[in-house]
Amino acid sequence: MPLYRDEAVVLRTHKLGEADRIITLLTRQHGRVRAVARGVRRTSSRWGSRLEPFTHVDLQLADGRSLDTVTQAETLTPFAGRMGGDYERYTAGTVMLETAERLVTEEREPATQQFLLLVGGLRAMAAGELGPAQVLDSYLLRSLSVAGYAPTFDGCARCGLEGPHRWFNPSMGGVLCTTCRVPGSASPAEGTVAVLGALLAGDWATVGAAEQRTLREASGLVSAYLAWHLERGLRSMEHVQR
């Protein structure tokens, strides 16, 4: 069978038979890949721990008809070990993994930007220098943008009129002016809209200066925006404090 190498983040695993696992990966060059890892559930396995969720790995795989096979695995960054002792960071990280899997829908289609965003987001989450909710919100907004669902927080999402605007609606793609407002639109504080724009842009000085109530309101709007575009909720989100 032809072999290939790639860099990947392990998104999810589930058992196969008595000793194997099916590993769902987001790879740098090949997008989302599902592969069999033979014997990794045995205590004698050389690299079972390298194929757990959150692990950033360098892999060699063999092409298969429906599933590839992992033949080598070397750990690059053990993100799980760095976040495992912090419940908030770990649960926020699980949302990142599930989001990446949901947004990269086609197997074997390159998704380099999504891969780099995920690695960068996990690195920031594991570093512990920024709030876990804010790292998560920034990752969600950026990954949605890469997937083609970029929100607008400056001009009106409907007519393009420059803001600031006081209305927000996920189904319309962001903020709306008074003329374009549709029923059911939220009316966030002006500071909240500024924080949303900062999260998308990576302006951590603005995010760090915001009050907690502003950050909480921004998180709620990010969650609503994500839920609308994914069409069904994330199972992991219910464990995250928002």
Side-chain angles (χ1 to χ4, degrees):
M1 293 184 289
L3 300 176
Y4 66 95
R5 296 197 72 88
D6 209 342
E7 189 181 334
V9 173
V10 179
L11 302 180
R12 183 163 56 93
T13 71
H14 63 270
K15 296 177 182 178
L16 177 67
E18 295 184 358
D20 305 338
R21 278 201 177 104
I22 295 177
I23 315 294
T24 301
L25 305 155
L26 180 59
T27 70
R28 185 180 190 126
Q29 300 177 43
H30 297 82
R32 184 159 63 91
V33 171
R34 293 197 309 146
V36 176
R38 306 286 185 193
V40 294
R41 290 163 52 206
R42 296 193 182 102
T43 55
S44 59
S45 173
R46 292 173 301 150
W47 30 269
S49 62
R50 303 173 194 173
L51 295 173
E52 294 293 332
F54 290 107
T55 310
H56 177 205
V57 287
D58 179 74
L59 297 174
Q60 180 175 277
L61 302 104
D63 268 321
R65 285 187 179 181
S66 58
L67 295 171
D68 294 347
T69 301
V70 178
T71 58
Q72 291 181 14
E74 295 294 334
T75 302
L76 296 175
T77 317
F79 290 120
R82 300 180 183 182
M83 297 188 293
D86 188 314
Y87 180 79
E88 286 188 54
R89 293 187 185 280
Y90 187 84
T91 53
T94 63
V95 174
M96 295 167 71
L97 297 186
E98 188 178 355
T99 299
E101 185 175 2
R102 291 279 296 277
L103 289 177
V104 182
T105 56
E106 298 295 327
E107 291 194 11
R108 294 299 195 92
E109 287 294 322
T112 305
Q113 285 184 285
Q114 291 289 3
F115 171 81
L116 294 174
L117 273 173
L118 181 60
V119 171
L122 291 174
R123 185 171 289 121
M125 191 71 76
E129 297 174 1
L130 302 168
Q134 286 67 61
V135 174
L136 174 60
D137 289 338
S138 181
Y139 168 76
L140 294 176
L141 290 173
R142 294 185 192 193
S143 59
L144 284 164
S145 297
V146 169
Y149 308 120
T152 176
F153 300 121
D154 298 320
C156 174
R158 195 169 193 178
C159 72
L161 180 68
E162 283 300 310
H165 299 301
R166 57 172 299 191
W167 304 102
F168 177 86
N169 193 294
S171 67
M172 300 302 296
V175 296
L176 298 168
C177 65
T178 301
T179 303
C180 294
R181 176 175 68 94
V182 296
S185 298
S187 180
E190 185 174 332
T192 301
V193 176
V195 165
L196 288 168
L199 288 166
L200 179 59
D203 177 2
W204 294 107
T206 297
V207 174
E211 297 180 359
Q212 282 300 313
R213 62 181 180 180
T214 302
L215 296 174
R216 284 194 297 270
E217 186 176 34
S219 289
L221 295 176
V222 172
S223 296
Y225 194 81
L226 177 73
W228 172 265
H229 288 288
L230 291 184
E231 297 182 355
R232 58 187 173 90
L234 299 174
R235 290 174 297 174
S236 53
M237 187 66 86
E238 63 187 58
H239 302 294
V240 175
Q241 297 178 4
R242 304 296 272 171

